[in-house]
Amino acid sequence: MSKYTNIPSELKNFFSEKRKSSIMDMFSTLLVSLRFDNRSLGGNKRSNCQLTNLQVFQLIVLMPFFAIKGFSHYKNSILNRMYGGRKDVFYSFMAQDHINWRRLIYRMSVTLVSSITCRKDFKKSHLPAVLIADDSDLPKTGFRMEAIGKIFSHIHQKCILGYKALMLCWSDGRTQFMLDVSLHGEKGKVEGKEQGMTAEQRKRRYERKRDAGSHAAGRKEEYFMGKGEKLIEMVKAAIRYRIPFDYLLVDSWFTNTGLVDFVCSCHKKFHLLGMAKMGNTKYSTSWGDLSARAILGRLSSSRQIRYSRRYHIHYAMTDVKLGTRQVRLFFCRRGKAEGWRMLLTTDTSVDFMRAYEIYTMRWAIEVFFADSKRLLGLADCSARDFTAQLAHVSLVMIRYNLLALLKRSLDYETIGGLFKDVYTGAYELTVVEKIWLIIVEVVGIVAELTGADEDTLMRQLIENNKRLEALQAYAQTA
């Protein structure tokens, strides 16, 4: 294969007219439109490798849609028969320290976001563009992985082995694109059992030296950085890349005085809207410095609790100061059995109905976590190398962003439905290829038993259209 071969374009041409998937065609077109080059992907290629880094990248992006569960399954796949290459090529690519995955994703995201913001349905939407930040567990099973340790899972309410992924996404209420990610660990509180592991377990973990100036080395330095501090860096990067947004949506784990100060002092005008804890933090009010529960008690005693028939929720609102910053608090409760929750925003002009409507957009990132783990294997990387773990998560984000744009363009209801159709278009080709190989093997056996010429038997089969069409129909419905 030539180094100039563009794999997505070749795939478009390979599908026959009868079996051509329009969705797979559009997916391939989008992949080409990213305009990544070999230089941004670590250079041209290794001297003993027939594939360039760009071609390796394109193959890895396409693998899940061709029923290739991992690099070890590539050898027997149709992509291997079309383009060649061995699994060690992919492992080496994933472990390259000098690929700036963060920049690649932002370059892609800027293009994709621009394609949405120019649409009429975006301009007519009553919902704002927002940034959403949240973290998610990436459970692992291997104790030998680099920097691996125990993390506290809020889902399971216990410590599990794995990484924490802090992610930032952009959404307009209909489409979400992933912008940034960082992998984190937790040191733990038990002396002598850092990260919840014994000294022997920590010693046996994989470790390797990296060039101090490499991108992977910089990303590993983020590992024990506070997620609140890293979130601010992520938002600054989104601003540098001129991602348009009006609100930053976060949950209660990120809402604090430092984040409020950053939002209020930032040169770009946007607002913070986040869930806040009903803790002991003091807010300056007309009644003095009070905690959230004390403020709620004052609002209740002064009969300022309202009821929304639209959302079937009780709520109250008040303006206070957090440190030196003016903020608005919303208290809300759905039903008597549920406890009160609090929303905090730096936008003191917004009412509860609007704030609640905007905050519900935060669920977009939860949809990403669910879809990417179920369909794209977000937590499935078993590589020991930390660089490979970062590369895997970045590639999942790239695949998801491509699917998200297709979903918007083709008006699909869910990413899952779109993934199924893209997968079906590619899987159809894979099944036909496998069954054709079985036919070739059977013809060879028949020729050996009867003494007939194998080429003649094969030619007769191909020229008999009815038999061939029946086999094709069977293959496509298998």
Side-chain angles (χ1 to χ4, degrees), residues 188-357:
K189 299 178 180 179
V190 179
E191 187 176 349
K193 289 199 70 174
E194 288 80 4
Q195 295 185 262
M197 300 174 71
T198 64
E200 181 63 25
Q201 287 174 326
R202 294 195 303 273
K203 184 179 179 181
R204 293 171 67 184
R205 292 181 301 188
Y206 175 78
E207 191 69 41
R208 71 177 176 89
K209 291 183 179 180
R210 291 179 173 84
D211 182 355
S214 67
H215 297 294
R219 299 291 289 270
K220 193 174 179 184
E221 288 179 1
E222 302 169 354
Y223 193 65
F224 289 117
M225 182 186 292
K227 289 193 281 286
E229 181 185 354
K230 185 58 198 175
L231 171 59
I232 291 175
E233 288 189 4
M234 287 182 171
V235 175
K236 288 179 178 179
I239 294 171
R240 282 198 305 272
Y241 280 96
R242 300 183 180 180
I243 302 293
F245 67 97
D246 303 305
Y247 286 87
L248 171 63
L249 308 183
V250 298
D251 66 10
S252 59
W253 303 105
F254 299 97
T255 305
N256 55 43
T257 305
L259 187 58
V260 170
D261 286 339
F262 164 71
V263 171
C264 292
S265 61
C266 189
H267 69 278
K268 175 180 171 58
K269 300 305 176 186
F270 67 99
H271 291 290
L272 172 68
L273 177 57
M275 195 69 72
K277 293 179 180 179
M278 298 279 285
N280 297 321
T281 302
K282 301 295 183 181
Y283 300 89
S284 298
T285 71
S286 56
W287 302 299
D289 292 346
L290 300 175
S291 66
R293 293 190 182 278
I295 294 172
L296 178 60
R298 294 297 180 100
L299 292 173
S300 180
S301 62
S302 58
R303 297 184 178 181
Q304 295 188 46
I305 307 294
R306 301 287 183 265
Y307 181 73
S308 168
R309 290 185 178 180
R310 178 180 178 184
Y311 295 117
H312 305 287
I313 194 169
H314 289 88
Y315 69 93
M317 177 186 75
T318 186
D319 289 341
V320 300
K321 277 190 174 182
L322 178 60
T324 60
R325 307 296 183 181
Q326 193 77 23
V327 296
R328 177 164 287 186
L329 302 181
F330 299 101
F331 298 90
C332 54
R333 183 179 70 179
R334 190 186 300 275
K336 293 183 179 180
E338 186 176 304
W340 284 93
R341 297 184 179 184
M342 182 173 70
L343 285 172
L344 180 151
T345 181
T346 56
D347 186 356
T348 55
S349 65
V350 70
D351 61 15
F352 171 75
M353 301 297 182
R354 180 63 172 167
Y356 191 80
E357 182 180 35

Side-chain angles (χ1 to χ4, degrees), residues 428-444:
E428 173 188 313
L429 180 62
T430 305
V431 171
V432 171
E433 175 82 1
K434 287 180 179 178
I435 291 181
W436 184 250
L437 290 175
I438 294 171
I439 293 169
V440 171
E441 185 178 350
V442 170
V443 169

